[in-house]
Structure formats: structure tokens, C-alpha cells
Amino acid sequence: AQKVTQAQTEISVVEKEDVTLDCVYETRDTTYYLFWYKQPPSGELVFLIRRNSFDEQNEISGRYSWNFQKSTSSFNFTITASQVVDSAVYFCALSEALKGGDFDAGNMLTFGGGTRLMVKP
Amino acid sequence: NAGVTQTPKFQVLKTGQSMTLQCAQDMNHEYMSWYRQDPGMGLRLIHYSVGAGITDQGEVPNGYNVSRSTTEDFPLRLLSAAPSQTSVYFCASSSSVRRETQYFGPGTRLLVL
């Protein structure tokens, strides 16, 4: 079974600080996808990024960047110059085929427990 | 394009009552699923559907039924509500089954007394 661990349950920073959210995963699949979702106080789940296991290039989107390292099974998320609007719970997730590796038969997202980020003004 | 919509937003039930949580998407997505979110546990898959007329069980299916008569709709039925089903329920959809990004609805908060 797959597993996603977000060891940091809660992080508090002051606005404009940089912050990194850690994500470590376990899987026996050779092909897999990793995701990050944001859950603001309003409660919805907002998709941030999807990365496949064959693409280890780091990605940057504005103030957000992601560091994927297969060697350490990690997919960390960094927010540069944090803002109050970044306050939310962030979830890392791993996609898994439900039936014998056959993705056409359905897949499941295995989520980490989430990291609550509080950015103070 | 409304995306994934869920109704109701909030519901209170008494133990033993039944109800249906509605989920609809207007993106012609093939794959739909239901997750529940409990504190500190992330989200867990309840049921999923790879297309109209096809459904299957996820990680925590007990106490729930689903059906998929159309591409757009994927209702979740609680047969006899229990306090352990107090949770936030999210419906998600993706354009195809194969590891495509799943987009989530706004959620339904359910309280079972």
C-alpha cells in the first residue's frame, strides 16, 4: 500500500518569510503521480500541481516552487515571500491504481495528513 | 462552466436516517469519485466510477451506496447514518481514469447526532 507523510502538522511564519512544506511518499509503483492541493479556510480543495515520476525537473510558478527527488522519495513545496493569503492547509497526494496496476480500472489519491500553514502579518 | 458542484453544503442527521449527497459536473468528465475528510487523516476514497453505469468500492465503502446513471451525476447515499459518518464529503472528477488531475467540489459537511 502507498503512504504519504507530511511530518509538519503546523507551521507558523511571518509574512515575507520563505517556507518549505515537506512531503515523503512510499510506493512500489515505478510510474506514479504526485500532487499538491491547497485547502483555504473556506474549505474547498484547490489543485496546485501534478508531477509524474519520470519528470524530476523542479517547477516554479510565481512564488511557488516544487522540489521532486526520487532518491529520497520526497516532493517538497516552497512558498517564497509568504503572504497572509497563503494561510491554508496543504495536502500532498500520491496517485495509485486500484486494481492490479491497471489505471484504466480506476485510481485513488492517497493523501498525507496535511500541513496547516499560518502566515502572520 | 460550474465545474464540480455539491449539495447540500451542510446537513444534520439523526442516527438511522438516510440521505443522498448530490454531486454533478458539467465538464463531461469520465471519472468521478467520493472522498471523506476526517481531522488529521487527509482524504479517503469511498466509491468511484470510471463511467456511466460503472461503480466500484474504494478504501472505506461501508455504509454508503452510489450509482452513476449519467455522465454528469454521481450521488452518494447514506443508508442508515451513524455518528462515525460525521465528516466532510468531497466529490471529485477527472477527464479520464488514467491518473488525470482530479478536481474537487466544494464539499458537504455532515453531522450525525
Side-chain angles (χ1 to χ4, degrees):
Chain A
Q2 304 192 152
K3 186 177 178 182
V4 177
T5 302
Q6 295 179 255
Q8 307 148 307
T9 54
E10 207 167 282
I11 301 175
S12 181
V13 300
V14 176
E15 209 170 18
K16 296 184 184 176
E17 284 185 19
D18 298 347
V19 58
T20 296
L21 282 59
D22 297 332
C23 173
V24 174
Y25 61 92
E26 296 175 26
T27 180
R28 282 185 279 189
D29 290 350
T30 54
T31 303
Y32 51 90
Y33 281 82
L34 293 160
F35 300 81
W36 276 94
Y37 286 87
K38 173 183 179 180
Q39 187 172 44
S42 51
E44 72 271 25
L45 281 161
V46 179
F47 164 73
L48 295 178
I49 191 171
R50 168 175 171 252
R51 175 53 53 91
N52 76 55
S53 54
F54 294 109
D55 183 2
E56 289 194 69
Q57 275 195 330
N58 290 335
E59 180 151 345
I60 298 174
S61 176
R63 296 185 296 107
Y64 294 172
S65 62
W66 290 269
N67 184 324
F68 174 36
Q69 293 196 341
K70 273 177 96 167
S71 60
T72 55
S73 297
S74 65
F75 186 42
N76 296 337
F77 173 32
T78 297
I79 301 175
T80 302
S82 60
Q83 299 176 2
V84 173
V85 293
D86 295 326
S87 297
V89 180
Y90 291 86
F91 290 98
C92 181
L94 175 65
S95 183
E96 167 186 22
L98 283 163
K99 293 184 177 179
D102 179 6
F103 288 101
D104 288 328
N107 70 79
M108 176 176 81
L109 289 173
T110 299
F111 284 82
T115 297
R116 181 178 300 277
L117 174 65
M118 293 176 289
V119 182
K120 299 177 182 176
Chain B
N1 200 338
V4 181
T5 57
Q6 292 183 238
T7 55
K9 289 185 178 178
F10 180 68
Q11 183 72 45
V12 179
L13 289 179
K14 294 181 180 178
T15 296
Q17 286 185 316
S18 62
M19 80 160 293
T20 298
L21 280 63
Q22 301 293 343
C23 173
Q25 51 88 11
D26 60 359
M27 300 173 282
N28 201 32
H29 279 180
E30 182 178 70
Y31 188 69
M32 296 185 75
S33 55
W34 276 101
Y35 287 81
R36 60 177 287 173
Q37 181 180 25
D38 301 298
M41 298 186 72
L43 282 78
R44 292 178 295 167
L45 181 67
I46 304 171
H47 284 286
Y48 65 98
S49 170
V50 300
I54 306 169
T55 64
D56 211 334
Q57 297 181 351
E59 190 181 8
V60 289
N62 292 340
Y64 307 96
N65 272 355
V66 292
S67 60
R68 183 114 179 254
S69 55
T70 66
T71 299
E72 295 77 21
D73 300 300
F74 191 43
L76 178 72
R77 297 183 187 84
L78 277 70
L79 309 172
S80 177
S84 60
Q85 294 178 304
T86 293
S87 188
V88 181
Y89 291 85
F90 287 96
C91 180
S93 75
S94 62
S95 57
S96 70
V97 176
R98 288 189 145 263
R99 297 201 195 266
E100 293 293 334
T101 298
Q102 294 194 45
Y103 294 94
F104 287 84
T108 293
R109 188 174 295 273
L110 177 67
L111 175 62
V112 182
L113 302 174

